[in-house]
Amino acid sequence: MAASPALWAVFGDVMLCLGAGLLLAAVRDAAGLVLRGALCCFVLDCLAFAAAAFVLCGFAASASASGIARWYMAAGMALGAAGWYAAVSRALHAALRGAAAGTTRLLGRIFSAPLRRIAAQNAKRQQIRAEKKSKKTKNVLQKDSRILYN
């Protein structure tokens, strides 16, 4: 059994794992925004769990004070992920919804005015054509110069 590391080393490990949990939750959340659906969410959750295990074991083997994975490292990653979803994710999603709605309104204003103008011009042309058609009456009688008398 390995000796326990000093308290400052444990605190450093927990802080690094907290940051890793935040980062993994952010990547999972961004992928969830892009990919929708129950199956995609299940696959993303499985990938996020595998990535968390990989990052935790890699961190424990390379940079931790004890050299092995400990329970407080996993707890730090879980707290980091929970912190992302509790504090950052809701505000970020609300801001993205607001930005999407604002962008949609802006694009609607930019493109709707020329489209309305074009539609009005087309309607005016059709009205003029209809008036010209109604004004044109076909002369069924012959011209005076061509009238032939029997």
Side-chain angles (χ1 to χ4, degrees):
M1 184 152 184
S4 16
L7 188 59
W8 61 269
V10 170
F11 182 72
D13 288 348
V14 170
M15 287 294 118
L16 286 171
C17 287
L18 188 74
L22 276 167
L23 182 64
L24 282 171
V27 170
R28 164 60 182 94
D29 198 24
L33 287 173
V34 174
L35 302 172
R36 301 249 181 217
L39 182 63
C40 286
C41 285
F42 175 73
V43 171
L44 287 175
D45 287 341
C46 290
L47 288 175
F49 183 77
F54 182 76
V55 167
L56 180 66
C57 291
F59 167 74
S62 65
S64 75
S66 63
I68 58 173
R70 296 201 180 243
W71 67 270
Y72 53 82
M73 294 177 188
M77 286 189 86
L79 283 175
W84 172 265
Y85 286 110
V88 180
S89 180
R90 291 179 186 163
L92 182 66
H93 285 232
L96 288 175
R97 277 193 301 273
T103 303
T104 304
R105 268 188 260 121
L106 179 64
L107 289 176
R109 287 181 187 162
I110 289 172
F111 291 116
S112 68
L115 291 176
R116 274 190 251 131
R117 192 175 340 118
I118 290 170
Q121 289 173 351
N122 287 341
K124 188 175 180 181
R125 281 189 202 128
Q126 288 176 353
Q127 183 182 8
I128 291 171
R129 286 180 189 153
E131 287 175 3
K132 283 183 180 180
K133 274 187 177 181
S134 66
K135 285 182 182 179
K136 286 183 182 178
T137 56
K138 199 168 193 180
N139 190 4
V140 291
L141 298 175
Q142 293 180 350
K143 292 183 182 177
D144 289 339
S145 61
R146 290 189 174 199
I147 295 179
L148 298 173
Y149 295 100
N150 289 337

